[in-house]
Amino acid sequence: PGYRVVQPELARTLRAMATSGAAAFYRGSIAKKMVDAVQAAGGLWELADLEGYRVVERTPIKFRYRGAIVTTAPLPSSGGAVLAQCLHILEARELASLGEAERVHLTVEAMRRGYHDRARYMGDPAFVAVPVDRLLSKDYALVRGASISAERATPSSELDALSPHATETTQTTHFSVIDAEGNRVAATLSVNGPFGAGFVAGDTGVLLNNHINDFVLADNAPNVYRLTGGVANRIEPGKRPLSSMSPSFVEDERGVLVLGTPGGSRIISMVLQAIVGYVDRPALDLEQIAGAPRFHHQYLPDRIEIELDGFSDEWIAAQKSRGHVVEIGRRKWGNMQLVYFDKATGRVSVVNDPRARAGVLF
Ligand code: DON
């Protein structure tokens, strides 16, 4: 509060784009300045990289979670496919009738399996054949879910053996919007790390991202979010890195929920817990959905990470007794934006993340 950010250079660049369209950015003097600046700093950009860049419109992933229709992000974000697998696994259980410890254990095991497939299959579909149809199918989720023990955590190191490959192997911002006519937008935008590459190209005002870290940089080398992966998401010229961004719609007979959040690899598990909160615990209000303490499992590292100060000793003990490793995070995470249209009343309500209101950035 009280800090004024003025970006006249960026304003000039944006104005040029508003006047002349995308070409003003990807070609011409702005493109040249960015390429010159990157090259002068030792980077590898060529004018042809910018000229050759195309925005690709993709069909969202759509599936049902109990009574709700979820519309969410397709590859090259892993968000939709991981959410679908996790939610399909959970759908086969009576979550609403479980105690909290059982529900958390089950949700973590669903996360473990969803993120496991993220690591072993997913990458830019222009480069790798990702078995999306299979990953989205309920039959596949049933097979994956069958290996979950109600009593014990499955060590992530055992997942490959439990579920052979489905095919033979070969700072972020989220907006949720509903307008007066019911049009909706869920949009997550990312420069990846705080201040991206930490590099503004010349006097264009354009801050470059460091999404390169969303690729697998080397076998078994975790990225900044400690995500691992394999050949599907390795760096190749022209390839887009595998994201976790998960802008989503959830629709059922009660209403339409538009949601999403920043948060690196934890984006998917946050959106997962919000969808489960909305669908399985209808008594929760939006504030409770956004405010609920967050837990996270991403296959590797093989542990449940929990938000600082969010969970009781009993909660932790209940998961440890099942064989989970529980690691208390250094902080809270996420900045969830929820907009909800209530079909019965016609009212729209909005909740943003209490963590952000309290000054936690993401
Ligand atoms: O696309 C991704 O998965 C990451 N670049 C998102 C990074 C992110 O959310 C960082 N901010 N909190």
Side-chain angles (χ1 to χ4, degrees):
Y3 190 88
R4 182 153 179 246
V5 179
V6 183
Q7 294 173 281
E9 296 174 333
L10 180 60
R12 205 166 56 234
T13 296
L14 293 176
R15 196 166 292 123
M17 291 165 71
T19 311
S20 310
F25 185 80
Y26 291 107
R27 294 160 189 267
S29 67
I30 294 175
K32 179 146 188 349
K33 284 186 202 174
M34 289 199 291
V35 169
D36 287 348
V38 171
Q39 288 184 354
L44 299 174
W45 289 23
E46 303 284 346
L47 273 176
D49 294 322
L50 287 176
E51 276 174 22
Y53 182 78
R54 297 285 175 275
V55 169
V56 181
E57 270 189 48
R58 303 178 197 265
T59 309
I61 285 177
K62 207 165 181 163
F63 60 90
R64 293 192 81 90
Y65 177 56
R66 306 193 202 275
I69 297 165
V70 180
T71 306
T72 184
L75 289 168
S77 179
S78 58
V82 175
L83 281 174
Q85 181 173 158
C86 296
L87 289 167
H88 287 152
I89 289 174
L90 296 177
E91 192 179 45
R93 323 281 167 131
E94 289 291 330
L95 271 199
S97 64
L98 295 179
E100 194 195 358
E102 286 82 11
R103 195 171 64 238
V104 169
H105 167 69
L106 200 59
T107 310
V108 165
E109 291 301 323
M111 291 172 184
R112 182 198 303 282
R113 284 158 178 77
Y115 280 91
H116 174 222
D117 280 352
R118 182 191 195 280
R120 60 181 181 165
Y121 297 131
M122 294 184 210
D124 185 343
F127 284 76
V128 280
V130 183
V132 176
D133 289 346
R134 184 162 156 80
L135 293 173
L136 296 182
S137 85
K138 298 204 176 194
D139 290 347
Y140 178 65
L142 278 183
V143 173
R144 294 286 274 164
S147 64
I148 297 177
S149 154
E151 311 302 325
R152 307 292 307 166
T154 312
S156 286
S157 58
E158 290 175 14
L159 274 191
D160 270 328
L162 281 170
S163 174
H165 280 276
T167 54
E168 288 312 310
T169 59
T170 63
Q171 190 68 36
T172 309
T173 305
H174 180 85
F175 296 102
S176 294
V177 181
I178 297 182
D179 76 5
E181 284 156 19
N183 298 302
R184 46 184 120 134
V185 178
T188 314
L189 305 105
S190 177
V191 293
N192 197 32
F195 295 99
F199 183 91
V200 173
D203 69 355
T204 61
V206 176
L207 176 72
L208 304 192
N209 70 58
N210 66 339
H211 269 291
I212 206 88
N213 192 259
D214 284 326
F215 280 117
V216 173
L217 300 179
D219 281 349
N220 301 320
N223 76 351
V224 290
Y225 305 108
R226 299 171 79 182
L227 289 167
T228 52
V231 72
N233 189 33
R234 76 170 175 212
I235 298 181
E236 294 178 65
K239 193 176 185 181
R240 294 171 202 230
L242 186 66
S243 169
S244 298
M245 292 184 284
S246 309
S248 302
F249 304 144
V250 182
E251 179 161 11
D252 66 3
E253 70 291 345
R254 292 175 290 154
V256 179
L257 183 63
V258 179
L259 76 163
T261 177
S265 63
R266 302 185 190 107
I267 292 174
I268 310 175
S269 63
M270 286 187 257
V271 172
L272 173 69
Q273 285 162 88
I275 296 176
V276 168
Y278 174 71
V279 173
D280 289 283
R281 302 173 70 198
L284 293 185
D285 62 25
L286 290 191
E287 193 70 46
Q288 290 168 316
I289 291 173
R294 292 173 177 148
F295 56 93
H296 174 72
H297 197 295
Q298 60 177 39
Y299 165 54
L300 293 175
D302 186 355
R303 49 93 173 100
I304 304 177
E305 190 185 13
I306 56 176
E307 283 188 319
L308 190 64
D309 299 332
F311 297 88
S312 65
D313 291 344
E314 296 72 49
W315 189 101
I316 294 171
Q319 299 311 322
K320 283 189 172 169
S321 72
R322 288 169 169 77
H324 292 290
V325 175
V326 179
E327 179 184 317
I328 301 173
R330 277 178 286 126
R331 57 179 177 82
K332 296 182 190 294
W333 57 76
N335 187 354
M336 184 157 285
Q337 305 299 318
L338 298 171
V339 178
Y340 182 60
F341 172 72
D342 185 317
K343 288 183 179 171
T345 62
R347 283 194 46 213
V348 172
S349 34
V350 174
V351 164
N352 59 5
D353 203 305
R355 295 159 187 78
R357 299 202 299 263
V360 178
L361 286 179
F362 59 80

PDB file of all heavy atoms in Angstrom, residues 4 24 37 49 55 61 87 111 124 152 174 180 185 197 199 203 223 237 245 283 298 310 319 354:
ATOM      1  N   ARG A   4       3.751   3.542  -5.430  1.00  0.00           N
ATOM      2  CA  ARG A   4       3.203   3.821  -6.759  1.00  0.00           C
ATOM      3  C   ARG A   4       4.155   3.265  -7.818  1.00  0.00           C
ATOM      4  O   ARG A   4       5.334   3.571  -7.813  1.00  0.00           O
ATOM      5  CB  ARG A   4       3.055   5.328  -6.910  1.00  0.00           C
ATOM      6  CG  ARG A   4       2.464   5.730  -8.226  1.00  0.00           C
ATOM      7  CD  ARG A   4       1.734   7.087  -8.086  1.00  0.00           C
ATOM      8  NE  ARG A   4       1.198   7.460  -9.384  1.00  0.00           N
ATOM      9  CZ  ARG A   4       1.627   8.505 -10.073  1.00  0.00           C
ATOM     10  NH1 ARG A   4       2.562   9.293  -9.583  1.00  0.00           N
ATOM     11  NH2 ARG A   4       1.105   8.774 -11.248  1.00  0.00           N
ATOM     12  N   ALA A  24       2.964  -5.434 -33.927  1.00  0.00           N
ATOM     13  CA  ALA A  24       3.806  -4.378 -33.354  1.00  0.00           C
ATOM     14  C   ALA A  24       4.748  -4.937 -32.310  1.00  0.00           C
ATOM     15  O   ALA A  24       5.773  -4.336 -31.984  1.00  0.00           O
ATOM     16  CB  ALA A  24       2.921  -3.296 -32.722  1.00  0.00           C
ATOM     17  N   ALA A  37      18.492  -6.598 -27.100  1.00  0.00           N
ATOM     18  CA  ALA A  37      18.783  -6.553 -25.659  1.00  0.00           C
ATOM     19  C   ALA A  37      19.109  -7.937 -25.121  1.00  0.00           C
ATOM     20  O   ALA A  37      20.025  -8.107 -24.312  1.00  0.00           O
ATOM     21  CB  ALA A  37      17.593  -5.954 -24.905  1.00  0.00           C
ATOM     22  N   ASP A  49      12.460 -16.113 -34.033  1.00  0.00           N
ATOM     23  CA  ASP A  49      11.719 -16.740 -32.929  1.00  0.00           C
ATOM     24  C   ASP A  49      10.444 -15.957 -32.633  1.00  0.00           C
ATOM     25  O   ASP A  49       9.378 -16.528 -32.394  1.00  0.00           O
ATOM     26  CB  ASP A  49      12.570 -16.798 -31.653  1.00  0.00           C
ATOM     27  CG  ASP A  49      13.769 -17.711 -31.814  1.00  0.00           C
ATOM     28  OD1 ASP A  49      13.627 -18.757 -32.462  1.00  0.00           O
ATOM     29  OD2 ASP A  49      14.840 -17.356 -31.281  1.00  0.00           O
ATOM     30  N   VAL A  55      -0.080 -17.424 -31.314  1.00  0.00           N
ATOM     31  CA  VAL A  55      -1.004 -17.794 -30.236  1.00  0.00           C
ATOM     32  C   VAL A  55      -1.844 -18.960 -30.746  1.00  0.00           C
ATOM     33  O   VAL A  55      -2.299 -18.945 -31.890  1.00  0.00           O
ATOM     34  CB  VAL A  55      -1.913 -16.600 -29.885  1.00  0.00           C
ATOM     35  CG1 VAL A  55      -3.042 -17.043 -28.965  1.00  0.00           C
ATOM     36  CG2 VAL A  55      -1.084 -15.502 -29.233  1.00  0.00           C
ATOM     37  N   ILE A  61     -10.441 -28.605 -21.716  1.00  0.00           N
ATOM     38  CA  ILE A  61     -10.815 -29.936 -21.232  1.00  0.00           C
ATOM     39  C   ILE A  61     -12.115 -29.796 -20.450  1.00  0.00           C
ATOM     40  O   ILE A  61     -12.278 -28.854 -19.666  1.00  0.00           O
ATOM     41  CB  ILE A  61      -9.691 -30.504 -20.340  1.00  0.00           C
ATOM     42  CG1 ILE A  61      -8.530 -30.950 -21.220  1.00  0.00           C
ATOM     43  CG2 ILE A  61     -10.205 -31.648 -19.463  1.00  0.00           C
ATOM     44  CD1 ILE A  61      -7.335 -31.463 -20.443  1.00  0.00           C
ATOM     45  N   LEU A  87      -9.908 -35.821  -9.651  1.00  0.00           N
ATOM     46  CA  LEU A  87     -11.336 -35.740  -9.328  1.00  0.00           C
ATOM     47  C   LEU A  87     -12.057 -37.038  -9.701  1.00  0.00           C
ATOM     48  O   LEU A  87     -12.963 -37.474  -8.978  1.00  0.00           O
ATOM     49  CB  LEU A  87     -11.965 -34.527 -10.027  1.00  0.00           C
ATOM     50  CG  LEU A  87     -11.530 -33.188  -9.415  1.00  0.00           C
ATOM     51  CD1 LEU A  87     -11.901 -32.022 -10.321  1.00  0.00           C
ATOM     52  CD2 LEU A  87     -12.151 -32.989  -8.030  1.00  0.00           C
ATOM     53  N   MET A 111      -3.780 -36.836  -5.566  1.00  0.00           N
ATOM     54  CA  MET A 111      -2.780 -35.873  -6.063  1.00  0.00           C
ATOM     55  C   MET A 111      -1.509 -36.596  -6.497  1.00  0.00           C
ATOM     56  O   MET A 111      -0.935 -36.319  -7.545  1.00  0.00           O
ATOM     57  CB  MET A 111      -2.388 -34.883  -4.953  1.00  0.00           C
ATOM     58  CG  MET A 111      -3.447 -33.899  -4.525  1.00  0.00           C
ATOM     59  SD  MET A 111      -2.807 -33.012  -3.061  1.00  0.00           S
ATOM     60  CE  MET A 111      -4.203 -32.001  -2.640  1.00  0.00           C
ATOM     61  N   ASP A 124       4.425 -30.425 -24.226  1.00  0.00           N
ATOM     62  CA  ASP A 124       3.755 -29.750 -25.339  1.00  0.00           C
ATOM     63  C   ASP A 124       3.241 -30.793 -26.345  1.00  0.00           C
ATOM     64  O   ASP A 124       4.038 -31.551 -26.905  1.00  0.00           O
ATOM     65  CB  ASP A 124       4.759 -28.813 -26.006  1.00  0.00           C
ATOM     66  CG  ASP A 124       4.125 -27.957 -27.102  1.00  0.00           C
ATOM     67  OD1 ASP A 124       3.019 -28.295 -27.566  1.00  0.00           O
ATOM     68  OD2 ASP A 124       4.753 -26.954 -27.495  1.00  0.00           O
ATOM     69  N   ARG A 152      -2.651 -46.802   4.407  1.00  0.00           N
ATOM     70  CA  ARG A 152      -1.237 -46.495   4.263  1.00  0.00           C
ATOM     71  C   ARG A 152      -0.986 -45.599   3.062  1.00  0.00           C
ATOM     72  O   ARG A 152      -1.596 -45.767   2.012  1.00  0.00           O
ATOM     73  CB  ARG A 152      -0.419 -47.793   4.029  1.00  0.00           C
ATOM     74  CG  ARG A 152      -0.624 -48.877   5.031  1.00  0.00           C
ATOM     75  CD  ARG A 152      -0.074 -48.536   6.403  1.00  0.00           C
ATOM     76  NE  ARG A 152       1.331 -48.123   6.372  1.00  0.00           N
ATOM     77  CZ  ARG A 152       1.954 -47.515   7.392  1.00  0.00           C
ATOM     78  NH1 ARG A 152       1.286 -47.224   8.493  1.00  0.00           N
ATOM     79  NH2 ARG A 152       3.214 -47.184   7.309  1.00  0.00           N
ATOM     80  N   HIS A 174      -4.049 -14.625 -11.489  1.00  0.00           N
ATOM     81  CA  HIS A 174      -5.289 -15.244 -11.967  1.00  0.00           C
ATOM     82  C   HIS A 174      -6.451 -14.268 -11.867  1.00  0.00           C
ATOM     83  O   HIS A 174      -6.634 -13.617 -10.848  1.00  0.00           O
ATOM     84  CB  HIS A 174      -5.632 -16.520 -11.187  1.00  0.00           C
ATOM     85  CG  HIS A 174      -6.893 -17.119 -11.701  1.00  0.00           C
ATOM     86  ND1 HIS A 174      -6.912 -17.966 -12.778  1.00  0.00           N
ATOM     87  CD2 HIS A 174      -8.183 -16.917 -11.359  1.00  0.00           C
ATOM     88  CE1 HIS A 174      -8.161 -18.270 -13.057  1.00  0.00           C
ATOM     89  NE2 HIS A 174      -8.954 -17.644 -12.209  1.00  0.00           N
ATOM     90  N   ALA A 180     -22.353  -9.169 -16.690  1.00  0.00           N
ATOM     91  CA  ALA A 180     -23.792  -9.083 -16.438  1.00  0.00           C
ATOM     92  C   ALA A 180     -24.585 -10.037 -17.324  1.00  0.00           C
ATOM     93  O   ALA A 180     -25.709 -10.412 -16.999  1.00  0.00           O
ATOM     94  CB  ALA A 180     -24.259  -7.638 -16.667  1.00  0.00           C
ATOM     95  N   VAL A 185     -14.858 -15.698 -17.697  1.00  0.00           N
ATOM     96  CA  VAL A 185     -13.443 -15.843 -18.053  1.00  0.00           C
ATOM     97  C   VAL A 185     -12.690 -16.328 -16.820  1.00  0.00           C
ATOM     98  O   VAL A 185     -12.856 -15.763 -15.741  1.00  0.00           O
ATOM     99  CB  VAL A 185     -12.815 -14.498 -18.494  1.00  0.00           C
ATOM    100  CG1 VAL A 185     -11.337 -14.684 -18.816  1.00  0.00           C
ATOM    101  CG2 VAL A 185     -13.549 -13.909 -19.681  1.00  0.00           C
ATOM    102  N   ALA A 197      12.427 -13.484 -15.650  1.00  0.00           N
ATOM    103  CA  ALA A 197      13.874 -13.618 -15.874  1.00  0.00           C
ATOM    104  C   ALA A 197      14.641 -12.478 -15.192  1.00  0.00           C
ATOM    105  O   ALA A 197      15.865 -12.417 -15.285  1.00  0.00           O
ATOM    106  CB  ALA A 197      14.170 -13.633 -17.359  1.00  0.00           C
ATOM    107  N   PHE A 199      14.614  -9.450 -16.132  1.00  0.00           N
ATOM    108  CA  PHE A 199      15.262  -8.803 -17.264  1.00  0.00           C
ATOM    109  C   PHE A 199      14.220  -8.055 -18.069  1.00  0.00           C
ATOM    110  O   PHE A 199      13.235  -8.651 -18.528  1.00  0.00           O
ATOM    111  CB  PHE A 199      15.923  -9.888 -18.133  1.00  0.00           C
ATOM    112  CG  PHE A 199      16.704  -9.368 -19.304  1.00  0.00           C
ATOM    113  CD1 PHE A 199      18.049  -9.087 -19.184  1.00  0.00           C
ATOM    114  CD2 PHE A 199      16.090  -9.194 -20.531  1.00  0.00           C
ATOM    115  CE1 PHE A 199      18.770  -8.613 -20.273  1.00  0.00           C
ATOM    116  CE2 PHE A 199      16.806  -8.723 -21.614  1.00  0.00           C
ATOM    117  CZ  PHE A 199      18.149  -8.428 -21.487  1.00  0.00           C
ATOM    118  N   ASP A 203      14.495  -0.712 -23.874  1.00  0.00           N
ATOM    119  CA  ASP A 203      13.542   0.263 -23.339  1.00  0.00           C
ATOM    120  C   ASP A 203      12.117  -0.063 -23.774  1.00  0.00           C
ATOM    121  O   ASP A 203      11.289   0.807 -23.939  1.00  0.00           O
ATOM    122  CB  ASP A 203      13.951   1.694 -23.731  1.00  0.00           C
ATOM    123  CG  ASP A 203      13.776   1.950 -25.220  1.00  0.00           C
ATOM    124  OD1 ASP A 203      13.428   0.992 -25.951  1.00  0.00           O
ATOM    125  OD2 ASP A 203      13.969   3.102 -25.650  1.00  0.00           O
ATOM    126  N   ASN A 223      12.738 -28.817 -10.880  1.00  0.00           N
ATOM    127  CA  ASN A 223      12.766 -27.387 -11.197  1.00  0.00           C
ATOM    128  C   ASN A 223      12.531 -26.586  -9.916  1.00  0.00           C
ATOM    129  O   ASN A 223      12.592 -27.148  -8.821  1.00  0.00           O
ATOM    130  CB  ASN A 223      11.761 -27.061 -12.313  1.00  0.00           C
ATOM    131  CG  ASN A 223      10.320 -27.041 -11.825  1.00  0.00           C
ATOM    132  OD1 ASN A 223      10.027 -27.420 -10.700  1.00  0.00           O
ATOM    133  ND2 ASN A 223       9.425 -26.607 -12.678  1.00  0.00           N
ATOM    134  N   PRO A 237      13.657 -27.046 -29.421  1.00  0.00           N
ATOM    135  CA  PRO A 237      13.362 -25.767 -30.089  1.00  0.00           C
ATOM    136  C   PRO A 237      11.889 -25.660 -30.460  1.00  0.00           C
ATOM    137  O   PRO A 237      11.305 -26.606 -30.983  1.00  0.00           O
ATOM    138  CB  PRO A 237      14.237 -25.825 -31.352  1.00  0.00           C
ATOM    139  CG  PRO A 237      15.332 -26.786 -31.012  1.00  0.00           C
ATOM    140  CD  PRO A 237      14.736 -27.789 -30.063  1.00  0.00           C
ATOM    141  N   MET A 245      -0.817 -24.218 -14.670  1.00  0.00           N
ATOM    142  CA  MET A 245      -1.906 -23.247 -14.514  1.00  0.00           C
ATOM    143  C   MET A 245      -3.250 -23.917 -14.794  1.00  0.00           C
ATOM    144  O   MET A 245      -3.378 -24.689 -15.729  1.00  0.00           O
ATOM    145  CB  MET A 245      -1.680 -22.064 -15.465  1.00  0.00           C
ATOM    146  CG  MET A 245      -0.464 -21.236 -15.075  1.00  0.00           C
ATOM    147  SD  MET A 245      -0.235 -19.767 -16.091  1.00  0.00           S
ATOM    148  CE  MET A 245       0.422 -20.476 -17.590  1.00  0.00           C
ATOM    149  N   ALA A 283     -22.207 -27.269   2.205  1.00  0.00           N
ATOM    150  CA  ALA A 283     -22.480 -26.309   3.278  1.00  0.00           C
ATOM    151  C   ALA A 283     -21.407 -25.216   3.347  1.00  0.00           C
ATOM    152  O   ALA A 283     -21.628 -24.153   3.939  1.00  0.00           O
ATOM    153  CB  ALA A 283     -22.563 -27.046   4.617  1.00  0.00           C
ATOM    154  N   GLN A 298       2.757 -33.779  -4.707  1.00  0.00           N
ATOM    155  CA  GLN A 298       3.009 -33.689  -6.147  1.00  0.00           C
ATOM    156  C   GLN A 298       3.826 -34.871  -6.662  1.00  0.00           C
ATOM    157  O   GLN A 298       4.616 -34.698  -7.574  1.00  0.00           O
ATOM    158  CB  GLN A 298       3.678 -32.361  -6.497  1.00  0.00           C
ATOM    159  CG  GLN A 298       5.017 -32.119  -5.830  1.00  0.00           C
ATOM    160  CD  GLN A 298       5.660 -30.809  -6.286  1.00  0.00           C
ATOM    161  OE1 GLN A 298       5.004 -29.791  -6.475  1.00  0.00           O
ATOM    162  NE2 GLN A 298       6.973 -30.849  -6.510  1.00  0.00           N
ATOM    163  N   GLY A 310      -1.587 -24.116   9.608  1.00  0.00           N
ATOM    164  CA  GLY A 310      -2.923 -24.467   9.132  1.00  0.00           C
ATOM    165  C   GLY A 310      -3.493 -25.723   9.768  1.00  0.00           C
ATOM    166  O   GLY A 310      -4.703 -25.951   9.708  1.00  0.00           O
ATOM    167  N   GLN A 319      -2.210 -38.430   9.461  1.00  0.00           N
ATOM    168  CA  GLN A 319      -1.610 -38.765   8.158  1.00  0.00           C
ATOM    169  C   GLN A 319      -0.302 -39.530   8.352  1.00  0.00           C
ATOM    170  O   GLN A 319      -0.009 -40.464   7.611  1.00  0.00           O
ATOM    171  CB  GLN A 319      -1.387 -37.502   7.317  1.00  0.00           C
ATOM    172  CG  GLN A 319      -2.672 -36.748   6.993  1.00  0.00           C
ATOM    173  CD  GLN A 319      -3.782 -37.639   6.446  1.00  0.00           C
ATOM    174  OE1 GLN A 319      -3.538 -38.561   5.669  1.00  0.00           O
ATOM    175  NE2 GLN A 319      -5.013 -37.371   6.871  1.00  0.00           N
ATOM    176  N   PRO A 354      -8.100 -14.983   1.281  1.00  0.00           N
ATOM    177  CA  PRO A 354      -7.779 -14.251   2.526  1.00  0.00           C
ATOM    178  C   PRO A 354      -6.277 -14.129   2.746  1.00  0.00           C
ATOM    179  O   PRO A 354      -5.827 -13.189   3.394  1.00  0.00           O
ATOM    180  CB  PRO A 354      -8.432 -15.110   3.617  1.00  0.00           C
ATOM    181  CG  PRO A 354      -8.780 -16.399   2.985  1.00  0.00           C
ATOM    182  CD  PRO A 354      -8.905 -16.163   1.512  1.00  0.00           C
TER     183      PRO A 354
END
